[in-house]
Amino acid sequence: MNTIAIVGRPNVGKSTLFNRLTESLEAIVDPIAGVTRDRKYGEVYWGKKYFTIIDTGGMSSDDEDDFQASINSQVKIAVEEADAIIFMVDIKDGMMDEDREMADILRRSGKPVVLACNKVDTSDKEYLAADFYQLGFGDKLFAISANNGYGTGDLMEEVSKHISEEPQEVSEKPRIAIVGKPNVGKSSLLNTLLGIDRTIVSEVSGTTRDAVDSEFKAFGKDIVLVDTAGLRKHSQMDGDLEYYSSIRTIKAIRTSDVCLLLIDASLGMTQQDLAIFREITEANKGVVILANKWDLVEKDHKSHDVAADEIRSRLIAFKDVPIFFTSNVTKQRLLKAVEKAVEIFENRHRKIPTSKLNDILLPLIQNSPPPVYKGKDINIKFITQLPTKSPAIAFFCNLPQYIKDPYKRFLENKLRENFDFSGIPVRLYFRKK
């Protein structure tokens, strides 16, 4: 899916714009600069196009802030991931040195940049945006108010020009990325799999910013396995080499169809594992969890089920993720995990007929309708799957803004009970009929 990053120095209104475009309140908004530190992802529908938007922390050269170096790294990763950039500035503060520094970084990125001059609440303040033409982005400058929505329509019309129509055909070869922390056995897994299946076609090196692809045949399919570097916490990264390796790994996740997430079975699901899981689900990729080094764990007849339950209890997004307890040494369940990844690849691209969605889900909704909100009944009348590369379901109703998260979770659970979305994130959209 196309990706747009919102960047700029601290406290220019990036999170406010993110919330407006995603029709949510997910990003924390505060007058204190520097509230947003990590990248946050959301989905936007504009002009019949769907894309991912990234909210970032404010980029700054402030050396006194202990977190600023990590924030700057996160912003650079977002720029690297993005297909186009919304660069936000603040007309009330006027041109700042940090704006010029950010502009230099964006020009070097080679990505399309649209300049959003924020806090123009009314048309009589638009002239204040003229000062920012000197940043050198030509006529790609828009006076907006992220707070009240002024000018955001024109801004998004320009942004949408840089968003391609998402191709609907299924790629011939499943791309399966092997991801995880350092030293969990990713390279050993790749070597073991390639050793098991001798029908390797070729080994193709990617560009300097891509991971290495290895092609082999299994289950009647040509499969591309993508080897990646281990992802560490930003505070633990040692120099530019490891930093750029992390960018390549994140890019490998976002260009894959399914990820094999390796964790250390003896440690269970750690915070860093959860962070990588979140990268996968926010990219709307399929996922299979491999609890590796299972041969080193002392176990009894209950160990497998207990360990699987502990892993699932820590998952934040969805719970029906396939989990395999594997060993590169004994080769336990490795091919079964890859076979499941191929199955997820096929399910991820399956189109559910609209008639089937409505026949199955509408009776369930009628039996358990959304809660009445402020005395108003909420009626869901029509359901359809959207034409996107990963599953997205639209629910058309009279009052979509009043459907709350608990009921959204109820609908997702019913979807998963009736259709095979195992290991696949599902996005739900609510639109006014």
Side-chain angles (χ1 to χ4, degrees):
M1 178 178 284
N2 293 281
T3 303
I4 307 296
I6 307 174
V7 302
R9 60 182 178 79
N11 209 29
V12 294
K14 298 183 295 298
S15 295
T16 303
L17 181 62
F18 175 90
N19 287 344
R20 175 166 292 280
L21 297 180
T22 57
E23 302 177 48
S24 71
L25 294 174
E26 292 189 5
I28 300 172
V29 178
D30 195 284
I32 299 173
V35 169
T36 303
R37 284 177 173 161
D38 294 322
R39 305 184 319 286
K40 187 167 188 64
Y41 295 81
E43 304 300 328
V44 175
Y45 173 61
W46 188 274
K48 298 184 178 180
K49 292 181 180 179
Y50 290 85
F51 58 93
T52 298
I53 195 157
I54 313 175
D55 181 27
T56 65
M59 195 154 184
S60 172
S61 54
D62 182 5
D63 296 331
E64 295 182 5
D65 189 335
D66 294 337
F67 292 100
Q68 192 60 55
S70 178
I71 294 171
N72 292 349
S73 294
Q74 292 278 357
V75 176
K76 290 175 182 176
I77 290 174
V79 171
E80 180 71 21
E81 285 183 59
D83 298 295
I85 313 292
I86 297 175
F87 176 23
M88 289 192 74
V89 294
D90 184 341
I91 63 150
K92 292 185 177 180
D93 292 340
M95 184 74 69
M96 306 283 282
D97 288 341
E98 288 171 327
D99 296 325
R100 294 186 179 90
E101 292 169 7
M102 188 80 237
D104 289 340
I105 291 171
L106 296 181
R107 273 192 292 272
R108 289 195 297 271
S109 76
K111 304 290 178 71
V113 177
V114 180
L115 186 61
C117 301
N118 194 30
K119 303 184 184 178
V120 179
D121 298 325
T122 55
S123 60
D124 60 349
K125 293 181 180 178
E126 282 195 17
Y127 74 95
L128 294 171
D131 189 38
F132 291 93
Y133 277 109
Q134 63 183 286
L135 288 176
F137 294 107
D139 60 353
K140 303 294 192 295
L141 182 150
F142 295 85
I144 70 162
S145 170
N147 191 46
N148 67 24
Y150 178 85
T152 54
D154 292 336
L155 171 73
M156 294 311 298
E157 285 298 323
E158 178 62 33
V159 170
S160 68
K161 293 177 183 178
H162 303 289
I163 301 169
S164 60
E165 292 286 351
E166 193 170 72
Q168 297 312 307
E169 68 276 5
V170 177
S171 58
E172 294 180 1
K173 300 176 183 178
R175 289 183 61 83
I176 300 175
I178 303 172
V179 300
K181 297 182 300 186
N183 303 319
V184 290
K186 296 183 298 299
S187 296
S188 297
L189 171 61
L190 179 65
N191 292 336
T192 302
L193 288 173
L194 297 180
I196 290 171
D197 194 315
R198 294 296 182 183
T199 58
I200 302 170
V201 177
S202 63
E203 186 169 290
V204 183
S205 294
T207 65
T208 56
R209 291 188 177 273
D210 288 330
V212 176
D213 298 351
S214 297
E215 299 185 5
F216 77 114
K217 189 181 291 289
F219 317 112
K221 283 188 175 293
D222 291 323
I223 300 171
V224 180
L225 289 177
V226 186
D227 193 16
T228 65
L231 280 174
R232 297 182 190 271
K233 295 179 181 179
H234 290 284
S235 60
Q236 297 174 350
M237 288 185 186
D238 184 16
D240 290 344
L241 181 61
E242 195 164 12
Y243 166 72
Y244 285 109
S245 292
S246 74
I247 290 179
R248 289 195 293 272
T249 298
I250 291 169
K251 187 172 181 179
I253 290 172
R254 295 195 159 259
T255 56
S256 69
D257 297 298
V258 184
C259 295
L260 298 178
L261 172 57
L262 268 68
I263 67 173
D264 188 326
S266 63
L267 300 176
M269 199 77 173
T270 67
Q271 281 299 118
Q272 183 61 8
D273 296 323
L274 286 172
I276 299 170
F277 180 76
R278 188 168 60 248
E279 291 279 358
I280 297 168
T281 57
E282 287 178 342
N284 297 307
K285 305 302 179 181
V287 59
V288 180
I289 294 176
L290 276 64
N292 202 31
K293 304 182 183 180
W294 186 238
D295 56 305
L296 302 180
V297 176
E298 291 186 13
K299 42 193 172 288
D300 55 33
H301 66 286
K302 295 182 179 179
S303 299
H304 180 284
D305 292 340
V306 170
D309 289 343
E310 287 179 354
I311 292 171
R312 285 201 172 89
S313 70
R314 301 215 63 200
L315 299 182
I316 303 166
F318 58 100
K319 307 291 184 180
D320 59 338
V321 178
I323 300 173
F324 292 87
F325 292 84
T326 62
S327 166
N328 293 333
V329 176
T330 65
K331 302 178 183 179
Q332 274 182 298
R333 305 181 189 90
L334 296 181
L335 280 179
K336 286 186 177 180
V338 176
E339 185 177 22
K340 187 64 179 180
V342 173
E343 181 184 321
I344 288 173
F345 165 80
E346 293 171 346
N347 287 343
R348 185 169 174 262
H349 295 281
R350 180 176 293 129
K351 174 71 174 175
I352 303 171
T354 297
S355 58
K356 190 173 183 179
L357 274 172
N358 286 272
D359 289 346
I360 292 176
L361 293 181
L362 283 182
L364 297 174
I365 292 170
Q366 289 168 2
N367 289 334
S368 301
V372 174
Y373 187 81
K374 295 183 177 179
K376 297 179 180 178
D377 290 326
I378 303 170
N379 299 311
I380 296 175
K381 296 294 186 181
F382 182 71
I383 309 163
T384 190
Q385 184 174 351
L386 298 171
T388 53
K389 288 180 70 175
S390 57
I393 310 297
F395 295 81
F396 291 87
C397 54
N398 58 333
L399 298 167
Q401 68 273 27
Y402 294 148
I403 296 180
K404 303 302 180 185
D405 286 342
Y407 196 75
K408 291 178 182 179
R409 287 192 290 272
F410 165 78
L411 291 176
E412 182 174 348
N413 288 337
K414 292 303 176 185
L415 271 168
R416 293 185 180 279
E417 287 173 13
N418 288 279
F419 304 99
D420 188 1
F421 288 123
S422 172
I424 310 169
V426 180
R427 292 167 290 163
L428 306 186
Y429 293 92
F430 297 86
R431 293 287 179 261
K432 191 172 182 64
K433 183 170 174 61

